[in-house]
Amino acid sequence: MAENETAAAPEAPQIKMNILAQFIRDMSFENILAQKGIQGEVNPDVQVQVNLDAKKRAADNQYDVITKIEINSKVKDTGQQLFLLELEYAGVFHIEGVPEDQLHPFLLIECPRMTFPFVRRIVSDVTRDGGFPPLNLENIDFVALYRSEIERRQAEAAAQAQPN
């Protein structure tokens, strides 16, 4: 009898995700410190902004997921800029078995998690090669990032819906 009960239970869809390609889509590094020169002790303040984007490709079940990172380093006391790093890192993913209502969060949470170690390495290498100590990015909570973006969009939509 137990066999019949388990056989009748619907199986969860099998999720399949493959990274087909990943690459630097765009990158810029500006070493302002070397260009302008800053005197004295430098105590950096590093600001990191992360944005995500996902697009359906022409091929079935394929998506581009882009992690955009902007890192701005300034001197804490004076606000003088030390360096600016802008990076767009893309992954091409083949995804099957994800229900349609869960696809958007899957693309913007799970896919960037897979490519983040490569983004971290690039940031570390570029800052080191640019004349600074290597910047090792801390882990990014992509779930929290996704939720805050949804909340921001909802607040924006609510503000636009209110008559002026």
Side-chain angles (χ1 to χ4, degrees), residues 9-63:
E11 287 189 31
Q14 199 67 322
I15 295 176
K16 185 176 170 185
M17 176 173 73
N18 294 324
I19 301 175
L20 303 177
Q22 52 186 332
F23 55 95
I24 296 172
R25 199 171 100 157
D26 190 22
M27 184 174 69
S28 170
F29 180 78
E30 297 176 41
N31 183 337
I32 287 78
L33 177 65
Q35 294 174 26
K36 294 184 178 176
I38 295 176
Q39 302 297 322
E41 188 69 26
V42 175
N43 190 6
D45 178 28
V46 178
Q47 299 294 319
V48 179
Q49 278 191 297
V50 180
N51 290 305
L52 302 169
D53 192 18
K55 293 182 175 118
K56 174 85 175 88
R57 295 186 121 211
D60 286 345
N61 302 317
Q62 288 188 14
Y63 303 87

Side-chain angles (χ1 to χ4, degrees), residues 2 21 24 41 43 51 64 89 114 119 139 142 146 156 159:
I24 296 172
E41 188 69 26
N43 190 6
N51 290 305
D64 288 330
Y89 193 78
M114 299 298 290
V119 170
N139 282 330
F142 289 104
Y146 180 79
E156 193 176 272

Side-chain angles (χ1 to χ4, degrees), residues 18-142:
N18 294 324
I19 301 175
L20 303 177
Q22 52 186 332
F23 55 95
I24 296 172
R25 199 171 100 157
D26 190 22
M27 184 174 69
S28 170
F29 180 78
E30 297 176 41
N31 183 337
I32 287 78
L33 177 65
Q35 294 174 26
K36 294 184 178 176
I38 295 176
Q39 302 297 322
E41 188 69 26
V42 175
N43 190 6
D45 178 28
V46 178
Q47 299 294 319
V48 179
Q49 278 191 297
V50 180
N51 290 305
L52 302 169
D53 192 18
K55 293 182 175 118
K56 174 85 175 88
R57 295 186 121 211
D60 286 345
N61 302 317
Q62 288 188 14
Y63 303 87
D64 288 330
V65 179
I66 300 145
T67 303
K68 300 175 185 178
I69 297 203
E70 181 179 301
I71 301 169
N72 198 343
S73 179
K74 297 181 179 183
V75 177
K76 272 188 183 176
D77 303 332
T78 64
Q80 288 180 290
Q81 194 164 20
L82 298 171
F83 71 82
L84 175 64
L85 172 60
E86 297 172 320
L87 172 66
E88 288 187 14
Y89 193 78
V92 179
F93 293 86
H94 180 91
I95 298 170
E96 292 180 31
V98 177
E100 190 65 35
D101 64 330
Q102 296 174 14
L103 186 59
H104 189 254
F106 186 89
L107 290 171
L108 296 180
I109 295 170
E110 296 306 321
C111 295
R113 270 190 199 155
M114 299 298 290
T115 58
F116 182 72
F118 301 95
V119 170
R120 176 187 279 148
R121 183 189 52 79
I122 292 166
V123 168
S124 177
D125 289 350
V126 168
T127 53
R128 183 197 65 229
D129 293 348
F132 294 92
L135 177 61
N136 294 310
L137 293 176
E138 294 183 20
N139 282 330
I140 296 172
D141 184 350
F142 289 104

